[in-house]
Amino acid sequence: MTNIVMNVLVLVALTAVSWPVLRRMRGWPLLWASVHVCLLTMVFDTLMIDVGLYEYATDKILGVYVWGAPLEDFAYAIAAAVFVPVLWVLLGRSPRTSSRARAAAAAPATPSGLDDEVAG
């Protein structure tokens, strides 16, 4: 199996699993983040390949390069830019980790009759 086939399968599976959250999210911020992360991937993957940190098996990649970075590397950048916010939404709903729940718990509770006595 080539890297591009594996990348497409993983992206499709991640999209299917996270679709209920993805369809409620705004598209422009995800697209904007994806573009920026892909630009960073293009620059830094090219540098890492040029200095010899890693190399790819030529039979596993398409051979299409974007400024020195193989096309397959951009699937990881897209997955991170799209699915980290999905995880943020999913994991942020817990009352234990929610900042709103902590703020409500930290607010001083007033007995219901106390406000009436002070006002009257």
Side-chain angles (χ1 to χ4, degrees), residues 42-56:
M42 180 179 69
V43 170
F44 289 105
D45 275 15
T46 300
L47 291 173
M48 289 187 286
I49 291 168
D50 283 348
V51 298
L53 287 178
Y54 59 90
E55 51 181 72
Y56 292 93

Side-chain angles (χ1 to χ4, degrees), residues 77-98:
I78 293 169
V82 173
F83 299 110
V84 167
V86 168
L87 283 174
W88 184 274
V89 168
L90 288 174
L91 296 176
R93 290 188 181 165
S94 168
R96 185 175 60 85
T97 60
S98 173

Side-chain angles (χ1 to χ4, degrees), residues 6-57:
M6 182 179 57
N7 290 344
V8 169
L9 290 174
V10 168
L11 287 174
V12 167
L14 284 172
T15 302
V17 167
S18 62
W19 184 249
V21 175
L22 273 175
R23 65 186 173 96
R24 291 189 310 262
M25 296 178 82
R26 296 183 348 203
W28 283 112
L30 294 177
L31 178 65
W32 194 243
S34 297
V35 167
H36 281 90
V37 174
C38 283
L39 286 172
L40 290 169
T41 299
M42 180 179 69
V43 170
F44 289 105
D45 275 15
T46 300
L47 291 173
M48 289 187 286
I49 291 168
D50 283 348
V51 298
L53 287 178
Y54 59 90
E55 51 181 72
Y56 292 93

